Amino acid sequence: MTRCISRRASLAIVLLLTACDYGAFDNYDPPRSQLTGRVVYQGEPVGVRSNGVELELWQPSYELNEKIPVHVAQDGSFSAMLFDGDYKLNLLAGNGPWVDSQDTIYIQVRGDTEVEVRVTPYYVIENLSVGQAGGAVQANFQVSAVEPSRAVEYVGLYLSNTSFVDRINQAASTELSGTDIADLTAPITLSVNVPDELEESGWAYARVGVKTVGVSEMLYTSVERITF
């Protein structure tokens, strides 16, 4: 009986200490400084798939120094609530539609802080025009090489009934293989029929994207709203 009571007393002490530990964590104020930023090329935001691209944020001076994942929105923006301190921001290799970089961005967070993450995409989409044409949506554009060490795998036009548009979040799409693009400097035209569900709603959201061989994520244009 004495041994049983002793074990119960030990368990109570452990639970008490654990509760005290959790209570200590509960006493921490939440982070109040907001880090906001954009992934840019030549000062312009780089469009990506929503939450498809992740940045790595580290705080070396913090004793745990665990990675803080930061997801990039489809317009190239990102944000995180942080404690004031010194951080390192890294790009994940092979994650975004740009050339891998080993460069680290050092950020001092003292209250709300803004930062630009400059990248070099393999390709960009220029001279885009999107409109409806007889029950279809048509896009005209050019693909310009920035770092053509990798080939174009395909380009695509994607439609959605929400403003979140990409190759996964879409109601209709059409794609053209890179091997079928004889001249990258020439204008490209893609056309996709509008599904009944989008036509009945009276509008659709459209984006054009380019996929590079060996790179997981596509680069996209900004979202265009098309009315019918």
Side-chain angles (χ1 to χ4, degrees):
M1 176 62 75
T2 302
R3 179 178 298 179
C4 181
I5 292 174
S6 177
R7 286 179 177 175
R8 288 179 179 177
S10 298
L11 178 60
I13 292 171
V14 170
L15 290 174
L16 178 61
L17 291 175
T18 303
C20 289
D21 287 343
Y22 278 113
F25 281 115
D26 288 342
N27 290 330
Y28 279 109
D29 292 330
R32 299 185 183 280
S33 297
Q34 185 175 37
L35 174 68
T36 57
R38 300 185 308 165
V39 179
V40 300
Y41 170 65
Q42 293 185 338
E44 297 297 322
V46 176
V48 294
R49 179 170 62 90
S50 182
N51 292 326
V53 175
E54 182 180 309
L55 307 176
E56 285 186 342
L57 197 61
W58 299 84
Q59 188 180 17
S61 58
Y62 183 53
E63 57 182 342
L64 297 179
N65 192 25
E66 295 180 341
K67 180 182 77 172
I68 303 170
V70 179
H71 296 283
V72 180
Q74 66 177 6
D75 63 355
S77 66
F78 58 86
S79 66
M81 295 303 296
L82 302 171
F83 296 104
D84 285 353
D86 297 330
Y87 293 84
K88 293 181 178 180
L89 184 66
N90 298 324
L91 301 173
L92 286 175
N95 183 227
W98 43 69
V99 179
D100 286 342
S101 173
Q102 302 298 320
D103 294 343
T104 294
I105 300 172
Y106 296 89
I107 305 170
Q108 286 188 334
V109 175
R110 304 289 188 273
D112 292 348
T113 305
E114 295 184 11
V115 63
E116 281 194 346
V117 178
R118 299 173 184 174
V119 298
T120 302
Y122 290 96
Y123 297 92
V124 295
I125 298 168
E126 297 179 317
N127 301 322
L128 173 69
S129 65
V130 182
Q132 60 165 321
V137 169
Q138 181 173 296
N140 300 289
F141 59 94
Q142 285 179 279
V143 175
S144 298
V146 178
E147 174 48 68
S149 56
R150 296 175 182 266
V152 171
E153 187 172 341
Y154 53 80
V155 294
L157 169 62
Y158 307 97
L159 304 183
S160 173
N161 58 355
T162 77
S163 59
F164 292 96
V165 194
D166 51 56
R167 196 171 192 241
I168 294 175
N169 301 296
Q170 49 92 4
S173 66
T174 185
E175 294 177 339
L176 177 66
S177 171
T179 57
D180 293 328
I181 303 174
D183 182 4
L184 263 185
T185 63
I188 297 171
T189 298
L190 293 178
S191 181
V192 58
N193 291 329
V194 179
D196 292 342
E197 63 193 78
L198 294 184
E199 191 164 14
E200 291 171 359
S201 69
W203 72 82
Y205 296 91
R207 284 179 105 187
V208 171
V210 56
K211 171 75 165 59
T212 302
V213 172
V215 178
S216 60
E217 294 292 333
M218 298 176 68
L219 179 144
Y220 293 90
T221 62
S222 58
V223 177
E224 303 284 341
R225 190 176 192 270
I226 310 296
T227 56
F228 306 118

